[in-house]
Amino acid sequence: MIATIEKEASEYAHLLEILATDEQNILVSSIAKIKTSIELRSTSKTHKDKIVSTTKNDRTIEKLTNGESYTSAEKIELELETLQRYFERRRELLSNSFTAPQVAKLLGTSRQTPHDRIKNKSLLAVRDNGVWKFPLWQFDAEEADGVIDGLPEILKNLSINSEFAKLNWFMHPLPVLDGLTPVEALKQGLKTRVIVEAMGGGA
């Protein structure tokens, strides 16, 4: 069992090489949020149902958050589970993306233009295995600059360092936006509300 976990840990360590330092920090913070996740799940179940449906990883997490003792193998297993969820989320959010050459062709620009627009924060892209990936949802043929209205203003005001964290923010439902994601809110014409939220730090 421990040998298997150590092998998986080595594989995940290799995967981490594609992440920037601030993206790696997301993984650390996500572990700290596990307790909140458990509490939210528990509100929708009875105590009996929770015991019946609890998985091995859930039991490990509960031991940690309740201050109970745990083995090194259990701790590694928890960290691997967190990593796995992170990479699954990453793959999900980047599944519908253009590469830089495809963006240049789409917008009718030089191949350098997409890279310049990353720097001036008028396009959002995440580096994945050495290739810049541009999520499709940000493009809008009806707008003058080819992206949904308000995107450049939001990118310039959103005080989040990691490009992946920015992408995750855009695709995460926010109570302040009535449960809409920032992308959904933008497409419904709520640009000002999204910009205000971005100026507030994107918390």
Side-chain angles (χ1 to χ4, degrees), residues 102-115:
Q102 289 173 324
V103 171
K105 183 177 181 180
L106 179 72
L107 301 178
T109 65
S110 70
R111 285 176 172 263
Q112 181 59 36
T113 299
H115 299 281

Side-chain angles (χ1 to χ4, degrees), residues 8-20:
E8 292 177 349
S10 176
E11 292 174 351
Y12 278 111
H14 176 70
L15 289 174
L16 281 174
E17 294 177 0
I18 68 173
L19 303 180

Side-chain angles (χ1 to χ4, degrees), residues 102-167:
Q102 289 173 324
V103 171
K105 183 177 181 180
L106 179 72
L107 301 178
T109 65
S110 70
R111 285 176 172 263
Q112 181 59 36
T113 299
H115 299 281
D116 293 338
R117 292 189 62 173
I118 294 173
K119 293 179 182 178
N120 65 30
K121 297 184 179 181
S122 61
L123 273 178
L124 176 64
V126 175
R127 200 163 185 81
D128 186 51
N129 287 322
V131 177
W132 285 108
K133 298 286 186 68
F134 298 76
L136 270 61
W137 55 258
Q138 66 190 307
F139 298 100
D140 187 342
E142 296 184 1
E143 296 297 328
D145 56 359
V147 297
I148 56 177
D149 187 29
L151 180 68
E153 294 98 317
I154 294 167
L155 289 175
K156 290 177 173 64
N157 284 286
L158 189 57
S159 57
I160 298 176
N161 293 326
S162 164
E163 297 306 309
F164 176 74
K166 292 177 184 177
L167 171 58

Side-chain angles (χ1 to χ4, degrees), residues 17-49:
E17 294 177 0
I18 68 173
L19 303 180
T21 300
D22 50 2
E23 290 179 326
Q24 294 176 15
N25 290 337
I26 296 173
L27 301 179
V28 177
S29 64
S30 66
I31 294 176
K33 294 177 182 177
I34 288 175
K35 185 175 185 295
T36 300
S37 176
I38 294 172
E39 292 171 346
L40 290 175
R41 278 205 307 275
S42 66
T43 59
S44 62
K45 298 181 179 181
T46 65
H47 181 66
K48 180 178 179 181
D49 289 339

